[in-house]
Amino acid sequence: MNKLKLGRNAVMAIILIIGLLIGLVGCNAKTPTNTTNQAAAGTPAAWVAPGQLDTHYMFASGGQSGNLIVWGIPSMRILRQIPVYNVYAPTGFGFTPETKKMLGDKTWGDVHHPIASQTQGAYDGKFIWVNDKANSRVAQVDLNRFETTQILDIPNMVGFHCLTTDPESKYLFCATEFSLPIAEGQKNAYAPLQNYTGEYYGIITALKTNRDKVQPGQPGQVSISYQLLAPPYEYDISSAGKGAADGLVFFTNYNSEMATSDIEKNSTTLPLDLTLVVDYNAAQKLADAGTYDQVVNGVKIIDPRKHPGIAYLLPIAKNPHGVDVSPDGKWIVYSSKLDPVVTIISTEKLKKAIASKNFEKTTWGLPVLKEADLQEAQIQVGVGPLHTQFDDQGYAYTSLFVESAVTKWQLGSWKVIDKQPVNYNVGHVAVPGGDSMKPFGHWLVALNKASLKRFLPVGPSYPVSEQLFDISGSSKMTLVNETPSEREPHYASIFPANLIKPISVYPKDESRPNSIWSEDKAKIVRNGNQVTVYMLTIRSHFKPDTIEVNQGDHVTIYLTNIEQQPGMTHGIGMSGYNINVPADPGQTVQVDFTADKPGTFPFYCTNFCSAMHEEMAGYFLVKPKS
Ligand code: K7E
Ligand code: CUA
Ligand code: CA
């Protein structure tokens, strides 16, 4: 969406003209303010009394914070930040050896799309996968522990935007937003831009989740299955098919023009962009049979031009952004950023056209489908449509970035039912289960890129905002709550609360490597210059609480919190060595460092655990070399 924001004025100009011609643009498009006719925020429908629990969890993209943010719905109370791509002191993420290794040398990520794991097309509450647009990574978040358990770097891609999964979550699919040359041993290979059409590629990556091999809390096992070459367009959003569309995955792109400069202008010259449809079963079959065309940076790459039956191009109106598949898979909904429409493609017609090889022509060696044959409807939803979600009553909800509104429309009749303003510049909308075969409906959250005059000012930029609508009625959507959030929000997955079953303590497990569960087992073991400390903690002390080493020793501390009372977290914090690792009840955590600085380093419990919390401290002493 960054491109769209940068070019907002130009885009606005084009769109206002289109909008005025068709009479769609009301005053909302030009000057949304806090004087819109929205209901007062925090209405009784959203009231969750102190001590009462929310009915839903929302896991929202934390944008450039690199976090996944967990909210209670409808209260909009933030329950937890789950760090994914950034150091986060409150949970010790980036301070332990495993999490340091996961983060590598990167200090940020750009989280766009949390994708909920599904079984038989329904959210199963086990995992969330999220992309990092900035550094081409995908991460697995374990919903049993609310923690990141894997970060996987994807070769041959720089900047990937979309992420989607099939109804059994066996696979994840993503595509480069920025096409580029690929070369062995390189991440950012060089080729002159004049050679763009010949030497640059779009890359589609298919990942296997291997989720059946993962026990809760164990590292994720996501692996790369294969990559597909694609025309050097700029791939935006993807959605895997389900139901009638099972086995297909859809990718939009906004730059079939293949502009490499002045993209804001040059990517808008075609009335239709060539989106991609991939038959992933056909591609997977090739990969499984060991058929591929090259291996680059350890990844098998298939060139679909050499293997008919894998990839097709589907022309869609202007610079499409979101593509969303209806719960039954019968309809594929494309949102055209620069046309005030969503285009509905019939899966039945699409499958027929593919089977009968009813193609218009070939572009970049791939067959191009005839859009007019496949189109079921085109709905005038409003200006700047981006994303669509579905509920359990046969309605769809499309966000309108430019118009700052959400349009509700009906599947089948293709009638617009309602439109409500949001504040301001909505990106995604999220409905519980709204991208699955089993939507739960009731709530819709508009994830807005800004908020004008809705909150106390906080400097020259506005807070972004999340606005909650009650969509349980059959016609009107009602704004019931809102909250500022972390810049910048993209997608979110919302679950009925009973689908999420996190542990409340790590069960006592004496067989766990390096854990100790009684004070007589606490010890400091020296092996050459490796000092290993087996430490436990319980209200209100560490054992041992004095550690003395020699300058230059390598120190490993295994700290086990032997508490079994939920919520009773202790943590070890030590300045001078940048150590900050909490241990939840029953958890064993590891701290690893070289004691290269001599001196006296008090350490302390970082969580206010009892009246004797401050007494919960110790000394780490490093004897100088000389
Ligand atoms: Cu923000 Cu899904 Cu990256 Cu649209 S994308 S808003
Ligand atoms: Cu343990 Cu404070
Ligand atoms: Ca275009």
Side-chain angles (χ1 to χ4, degrees):
M1 281 310 313
N2 303 340
K3 288 250 161 64
L4 185 54
K5 283 183 74 183
L6 288 175
R8 190 181 302 162
N9 291 343
V11 171
M12 275 285 286
I14 300 167
I15 280 170
L16 282 171
I17 293 164
I18 301 168
L20 287 169
L21 285 175
I22 58 171
L24 262 171
V25 181
C27 59
N28 288 330
K30 281 174 275 179
T31 52
T33 67
N34 61 336
T35 59
T36 55
N37 60 351
Q38 295 168 350
T43 60
W47 174 246
V48 179
Q52 298 298 303
L53 301 182
D54 280 294
T55 56
H56 291 69
Y57 282 96
M58 173 164 83
F59 296 82
S61 56
Q64 299 94 325
S65 77
N67 289 358
L68 197 59
I69 309 173
V70 188
W71 313 74
I73 302 286
S75 74
M76 307 296 272
R77 299 186 284 217
I78 291 187
L79 308 175
R80 174 56 47 93
Q81 300 262 357
I82 304 175
V84 184
Y85 295 114
N86 207 349
V87 172
Y88 191 67
T91 65
F93 196 76
F95 291 87
T96 61
E98 321 87 77
T99 56
K100 271 186 194 161
K101 198 168 149 213
M102 271 196 257
L103 290 173
D105 57 1
K106 311 280 192 324
T107 58
W108 72 300
D110 188 0
V111 171
H112 282 233
H113 300 111
I115 300 298
S117 62
Q118 300 178 18
T119 302
Q120 294 181 351
Y123 285 10
D124 57 31
K126 298 282 192 285
F127 302 106
I128 284 184
W129 295 284
V130 285
N131 75 314
D132 166 15
K133 168 167 166 164
N135 299 301
S136 304
R137 293 176 292 176
V138 65
Q140 180 161 311
V141 173
D142 177 352
L143 294 181
N144 194 254
R145 307 284 204 278
F146 279 48
E147 68 180 10
T148 302
T149 49
Q150 185 186 11
I151 296 178
L152 180 71
D153 218 308
I154 305 187
N156 306 325
M157 292 177 113
V158 174
F160 86 81
H161 186 198
C162 53
L163 192 66
T164 186
T165 191
D166 59 286
E168 296 295 341
S169 291
K170 279 174 77 177
Y171 306 107
L172 297 168
F173 302 98
C174 52
T176 38
E177 180 166 347
F178 310 109
S179 292
L180 84 169
I182 53 174
E184 187 60 35
Q186 291 178 59
K187 181 90 179 170
N188 296 68
Y190 172 80
L193 273 176
Q194 298 93 280
N195 303 355
Y196 189 82
T197 55
E199 288 192 54
Y200 283 60
Y201 293 100
I203 295 281
I204 309 295
T205 304
L207 302 153
K208 284 189 176 174
T209 62
N210 301 305
R211 52 179 296 193
D212 43 330
K213 295 185 192 150
V214 185
Q215 294 304 312
Q218 293 305 304
Q221 300 285 332
V222 179
S223 61
I224 298 170
S225 184
Y226 60 89
Q227 291 182 322
L228 284 182
L229 294 183
Y233 305 156
E234 280 168 301
Y235 296 90
D236 209 3
I237 299 297
S238 63
S239 275
K242 50 194 174 230
D246 206 1
L248 299 174
V249 54
F250 306 91
F251 299 88
T252 59
N253 93 80
Y254 53 82
N255 188 16
S256 309
E257 293 87 346
M258 295 187 280
T260 57
S261 65
D262 265 338
I263 297 174
E264 176 181 4
K265 184 168 97 228
N266 295 333
S267 74
T268 62
T269 57
L270 291 172
L272 301 169
D273 281 279
L274 294 173
T275 71
L276 195 66
V277 180
V278 172
D279 180 335
Y280 68 78
N281 288 325
Q284 188 64 49
K285 222 181 245 170
L286 283 188
D288 290 344
T291 307
Y292 49 87
D293 299 292
Q294 51 181 322
V295 177
V296 182
N297 297 315
V299 184
K300 292 170 185 159
I301 298 186
I302 298 170
D303 184 343
R305 294 172 293 190
K306 299 182 182 157
H307 308 278
I310 291 183
Y312 309 89
L313 295 170
L314 169 57
I316 291 291
K318 219 153 184 196
N319 288 31
H321 184 66
V323 52
D324 299 281
V325 182
S326 66
D328 58 10
K330 286 187 182 165
W331 316 112
I332 319 299
V333 180
Y334 288 90
S335 300
S336 298
K337 281 187 308 199
L338 305 189
D339 242 352
V341 296
V342 291
T343 301
I344 316 296
I345 296 295
S346 151
T347 302
E348 198 187 327
K349 292 178 189 170
L350 172 67
K351 287 200 159 168
K352 264 194 200 139
I354 289 174
S356 64
K357 302 201 165 56
N358 185 12
F359 305 129
E360 196 181 344
K361 56 177 180 179
T362 300
T363 296
W364 199 84
L366 296 180
V368 180
L369 294 151
K370 291 185 203 157
E371 195 259 359
D373 294 353
L374 314 182
Q375 195 190 105
E376 185 71 20
Q378 210 163 42
I379 308 171
Q380 305 282 334
V381 287
V383 188
L386 291 187
H387 297 281
T388 298
Q389 290 273 282
F390 304 93
D391 71 6
D392 53 340
Q393 311 284 327
Y395 296 108
Y397 303 83
T398 300
S399 55
L400 306 176
F401 177 83
V402 179
E403 201 171 324
S404 289
V406 178
T407 293
K408 172 179 181 174
W409 51 273
Q410 191 171 33
L411 286 159
S413 78
W414 316 123
K415 283 206 177 87
V416 170
I417 308 291
D418 186 27
K419 186 192 282 189
Q420 290 296 327
V422 300
N423 194 288
Y424 177 82
N425 279 356
V426 57
H428 278 267
V429 281
V431 169
D435 60 350
S436 73
M437 294 179 75
K438 196 181 172 233
F440 301 98
H442 199 112
W443 301 114
L444 175 142
V445 174
L447 296 109
N448 305 324
K449 309 292 187 189
S451 62
L452 302 189
K453 302 179 184 166
R454 300 292 284 193
F455 307 106
L456 288 173
V458 289
S461 65
Y462 291 109
V464 300
S465 84
E466 325 244 340
Q467 290 187 306
L468 178 71
F469 287 83
D470 184 339
I471 56 167
S472 58
S474 60
S475 54
K476 289 269 172 236
M477 301 174 278
T478 316
L479 179 74
V480 294
N481 209 351
E482 67 180 351
T483 184
S485 176
E486 194 76 76
R487 176 177 286 168
E488 104 166 11
H490 297 276
Y491 189 46
S493 299
I494 308 177
F495 297 72
N498 61 11
L499 279 180
I500 308 289
K501 298 190 174 70
I503 54 166
S504 58
V505 297
Y506 289 83
K508 178 175 177 180
D509 174 8
E510 302 199 36
S511 69
R512 185 189 306 149
N514 304 312
S515 66
I516 58 165
W517 298 88
S518 61
E519 308 214 349
D520 55 322
K521 299 270 167 50
K523 60 184 172 186
I524 300 173
V525 179
R526 173 175 288 280
N527 191 345
N529 66 351
Q530 166 65 38
V531 177
T532 306
V533 183
Y534 298 89
M535 185 189 261
L536 65 69
T537 172
I538 186 165
R539 277 159 287 171
S540 295
H541 58 275
F542 297 100
K543 181 90 191 215
D545 62 359
T546 304
I547 307 165
E548 182 155 347
V549 303
N550 299 321
Q551 184 178 2
D553 282 343
H554 186 263
V555 181
T556 304
I557 301 173
Y558 294 108
L559 173 66
T560 301
N561 176 356
I562 65 172
E563 305 265 6
Q564 288 286 287
Q565 180 181 326
M568 193 44 69
T569 298
H570 302 285
I572 183 165
M574 188 164 84
S575 70
Y577 279 100
N578 196 40
I579 287 166
N580 161 52
V581 180
D584 286 331
Q587 189 181 19
T588 302
V589 294
Q590 185 181 348
V591 181
D592 225 19
F593 61 102
T594 300
D596 45 12
K597 283 177 290 240
T600 303
F601 302 91
F603 59 89
Y604 69 98
C605 175
T606 48
N607 288 255
F608 213 112
C609 51
S610 70
M612 301 303 281
H613 155 76
E614 281 170 300
E615 287 78 350
M616 194 169 172
Y619 279 104
F620 178 72
L621 301 148
V622 184
K623 220 186 282 171
K625 246 187 189 131
S626 50

